[in-house]
């Protein structure tokens, strides 16, 4: 009999976990020919999430959990869950039930009978999200799709079931700065997308602020594209050429280098642009510095059910 590992990153999800467990347990009972295990990864929660996971591990032998020593981020939690999964198939789900448990049966059918390595959910809308966040998210995916040349479109998230071959390939990528959507696309494998409508969280509040989403977007771009660094050099060259042309035109027309206040503003502007692009190059250098330390992606404080 096949085994499905359901990997659930958790950060302050005490309100959502009981309903998530009930809904997913009911959904997997409808899957013929497969059993499941739950792997909850507590990403340094500050509420009663660890207590709930203790209770689940005691009452259901299918439930196992890992608690981090601090908050390492969702990407690290997903990686930890995958490392500890024993299933023939692995699926990532959010604890807030925005990933419909009803799709698990169809996902399993696709990966077990249709020859696909992965079956993923394609979110068709952003119901329940604020307008600003929706606009920024769509703009981000348009940019990253063009400069990274990987299949990372809007709505193509983490909710997916993959076979063991794809799971092992993801585990081979051990970089500290992780962007799982990019990693899924990078390893390849045949993926079938199943559309679903977004729903509001079953309980609690989202942990993703605009600030954290911006950091996540920058992480994705810097992890899978060198275009920003190339853009810095190109822009610098164009600025030098423009400065030469302006200077020559001023001299040829006999006006000389006048307009000192304007010149000062231009110098400040160009210096600002220069510093901006230097910061981009610095971001790449800092990431390489962090990777060279070879630090662990996460640190485990406690395991339950293993």
């Amino acid at each position: 009999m096949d085994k499905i590992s359901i990997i659930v990153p958790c950060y302050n999800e005490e309100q959502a976990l009981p309903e998530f467990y009930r809904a997913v347990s009911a959904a997997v009972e409808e899957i013929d020919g497969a059993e499941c295990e739950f792997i909850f990864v507590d990403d340094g929660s500050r509420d009663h999430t660890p207590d709930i996971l203790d209770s689940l591990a005691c009452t259901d032998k299918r439930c196992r959990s890992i608690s981090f020593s601090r908050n390492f981020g969702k990407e690290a939690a997903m990686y930890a869950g995958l490392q500890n999964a024993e299933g023939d198939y692995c699926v990532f789900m959010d604890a807030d039930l925005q990933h419909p448990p009803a799709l698990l049966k169809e996902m399993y059918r696709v990966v077990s009978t249709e020859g696909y390595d992965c079956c993923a959910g394609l979110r068709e809308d952003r119901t329940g999200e604020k307008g600003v966040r929706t606009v920024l998210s769509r703009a981000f995916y348009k940019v990253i799709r063009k400069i990274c040349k990987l299949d990372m479109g809007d709505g193509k998230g983490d909710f997916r079931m993959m076979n063991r071959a794809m799971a092992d390939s993801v585990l081979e990528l051990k970089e500290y700065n992780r962007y799982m959507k990019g990693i899924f696309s990078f390893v390849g494998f045949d993926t079938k997308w199943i559309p679903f409508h977004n729903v509001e969280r079953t309980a609690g509040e989202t942990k993703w602020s605009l600030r954290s989403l911006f950091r996540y977007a920058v992480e994705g771009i810097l992890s899978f594209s060198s275009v920003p660094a190339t853009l810095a050099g190109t822009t610098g060259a164009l600025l030098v050429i423009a400065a030469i042309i302006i200077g020559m035109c001023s001299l040829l027309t006999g006006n000389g280098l006048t307009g000192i206040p304007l010149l000062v503003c231009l110098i400040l502007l160009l210096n600002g642009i220069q510093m901006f692009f230097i910061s981009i190059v610095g971001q790449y250098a800092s990431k390489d510095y962090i990777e060279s330390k070879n630090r662990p992606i996460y640190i485990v404080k406690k395991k339950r059910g293993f």
Side-chain angles (χ1 to χ4, degrees):
M1 179 177 287
D2 290 332
K3 187 177 214 178
I4 302 172
S5 296
I6 301 172
I7 301 167
V8 191
C10 305
Y11 180 63
N12 296 341
E13 295 289 0
E14 64 176 357
Q15 297 181 32
L17 275 173
E19 180 59 30
F20 171 86
Y21 171 72
R22 285 192 292 269
V24 177
S25 295
V28 296
E29 288 181 359
E30 299 180 3
I31 301 177
D32 297 326
E35 60 182 3
C36 81
E37 66 172 355
F38 292 87
I39 300 181
F40 298 96
V41 184
D42 171 27
D43 187 22
S45 296
R46 298 179 179 275
D47 60 1
H48 293 290
T49 293
D51 298 330
I52 295 175
L53 298 183
D54 281 337
S55 176
L56 290 176
C58 290
T59 57
D60 189 342
K61 64 179 181 179
R62 300 175 303 171
C63 294
R64 299 187 291 164
S65 62
I66 304 165
S67 285
F68 289 169
S69 59
R70 64 170 177 82
N71 180 256
F72 282 88
K74 182 181 178 181
E75 312 296 296
M78 293 171 68
Y79 182 77
L82 201 60
Q83 270 193 319
N84 289 272
E86 298 178 350
D88 304 288
Y89 302 96
C90 300
V91 56
F92 293 104
M93 298 188 73
D94 289 345
D96 56 17
L97 284 179
Q98 288 190 303
H99 295 160
L103 291 184
L104 291 175
K105 183 176 181 179
E106 177 64 12
M107 285 181 167
Y108 174 70
R109 186 191 68 79
V110 169
V111 295
S112 62
T113 64
E114 292 191 5
Y116 287 94
D117 303 292
C118 177
C119 183
L122 177 63
R123 184 171 55 181
E124 292 187 313
D125 54 56
R126 291 182 173 273
T127 301
E129 289 189 0
K130 295 181 180 179
V132 174
R133 180 173 171 175
T134 298
V135 171
L136 292 177
S137 295
R138 287 175 177 171
F140 162 71
Y141 282 110
K142 287 182 180 179
V143 171
I144 199 170
R145 189 167 55 247
K146 289 183 179 179
I147 67 176
C148 293
K149 302 185 185 304
L150 292 173
D151 185 20
M152 293 184 285
D154 187 22
K156 296 182 177 180
D158 302 321
F159 181 35
R160 61 187 65 214
M161 184 182 293
M162 64 187 77
N163 60 21
R164 177 46 61 179
M166 182 174 175
D168 289 342
S169 296
V170 171
L171 289 174
E172 289 181 11
L173 304 179
K174 303 181 185 298
E175 60 259 38
Y176 183 84
N177 298 289
R178 306 183 66 78
Y179 183 70
M180 291 297 281
K181 294 181 180 66
I183 289 176
F184 292 144
S185 180
F186 176 82
V187 298
F189 291 92
D190 296 326
T191 300
K192 181 175 182 178
W193 296 92
I194 300 179
F196 70 94
H197 292 288
N198 193 52
V199 295
E200 295 186 14
R201 289 176 57 92
T202 183
E205 297 180 355
T206 180
K207 312 307 183 296
W208 291 93
S209 63
L210 287 178
R211 182 179 179 181
S212 61
L213 285 172
F214 178 76
R215 289 200 302 266
Y216 187 60
V218 172
E219 181 71 40
I221 292 173
L222 296 182
S223 296
F224 286 91
S225 176
S226 60
V227 170
T230 304
L231 182 62
T234 302
T235 303
L238 291 175
L239 289 174
V240 171
I241 293 172
I244 293 173
I245 292 175
I246 292 172
M248 291 181 63
C249 290
S250 297
L251 293 174
L252 291 175
T253 55
N255 294 327
L257 297 177
T258 58
I260 299 300
L262 178 60
L263 182 61
V264 171
C265 290
L266 288 174
I267 291 174
L268 291 175
L269 176 62
L270 295 179
N271 282 339
I273 294 174
Q274 182 184 37
M275 294 301 295
F276 173 76
F277 283 111
I278 287 175
S279 71
I280 292 178
V281 178
Q283 286 289 330
Y284 282 106
S286 67
K287 289 185 178 299
D288 184 64
Y289 172 67
I290 292 174
E291 293 290 347
S292 69
K293 289 178 177 290
N294 198 28
R295 289 174 174 171
I297 297 173
Y298 61 90
I299 297 174
V300 175
K301 179 180 180 181
K302 181 180 180 181
K303 284 188 173 183
R304 309 168 186 83
F306 288 90

